[in-house]
Amino acid sequence: MKNLSILGSTGSIGCNVLEIVEMFPDRFSVKALAAKNNISLLAGQIERFRPEIAVVFDEKLAVELGKSLHARPGVEILYGAKGYKAAAKHDSVDMVVTAMVGSAGLMPTLAAIDAGKNIALANKETLVMAGDIVMKRASEKGVRILPVDSEHSAIFQALKGNRRKDLKKILLTASGGPFLNLPENKFNKIRPKDALKHPTWQMGKKISIDSATLMNKGLEIIEAKHLFNVSHEKIEVVIHPQSIIHSMVSYRDGSVLAQLGIPDMKGAIAYAISYPERLPLQQPIPDFTNIGALTFLQPDMEKFPCLSLAFKACKHGGTLPAVLNAANEAAVNAFLNRKISFTDIPAIINKIMKQHVVTENPALTDILKAHKWAGNQAKEEILKYKY
Ligand code: MG
């Protein structure tokens, strides 16, 4: 029996994890559930999965959650940073699934690593912000970090059984998002509801906007760099609109290994939480005879400047990726609240990155300081925009 703590249990990944747990009740047990503010969904999850602790964002929500539970099934309700940390390092937990949205995932993930828990990593921002520190601590603690991100799961699988020195390139595939074929001169008319409609994947709001700007792919480049310990020069982005190939790895003999599947997160999630075993998921395989052509394109960095900003941050390192991430979070939030336009997102990130004086080889405190600075700068910048 593997005991799980799920940070971000009410999000898209969290709900998928719980569906898998429900399919295999003799393999997984849920010991901790942490969410932000979706009390009604969390209350239902508590009654179904009977965790030992449940965590929400603040005290008011904790009280509300307590009231909304019909029978109190012996669950301890905690809140805030302390609560998330407690869920991450809870004694009876073997593995922590980090599926919180954005930068909020960093500190609980570090707490879980320090407590020696294996990580199923869905929160890519953790590695974007502090990849060097996180990977070093994980290796010191003998903690395994298993990717939940579908591309990184694919790369992880394609690297298995090969010598690292034979690796030539990581080919990170991207669907291209909903605006792949939209002419650039229409980009300033894009509304949040257009950007939230992803053609192939079902996801949460933040990641859907990131997929529309291609920042998601940018963050994934930085995630891959840390997860697989490769330089940015070995990572290439390939647009593949059908999302059947989840990513590829090429070797020095010209061989390319790819991992394929239908675009559904369950495969990658199940592999991360049950590694090295593959669970009998009953997922269909792609219908190859009816699928038509699988196509590939080069990404258009002019049309999607977020991707080139992320390459820049990846190459430079230091505190720059944390700044990219914080400015992006603020800009995406402002776009969702209709304070700025779609094309303002990369403009704001670019401006904040240019203003930043990078700290090389940053300590965690430098990263947190840069993160806070960039978020505040971006918020101030956003006020100047009329939309
Ligand atoms: Mg992904």
Side-chain angles (χ1 to χ4, degrees), residues 124 149-151 216 220:
K124 63 193 78 174
D149 214 342
S150 60
E151 294 80 357
N216 183 52
E220 287 181 357

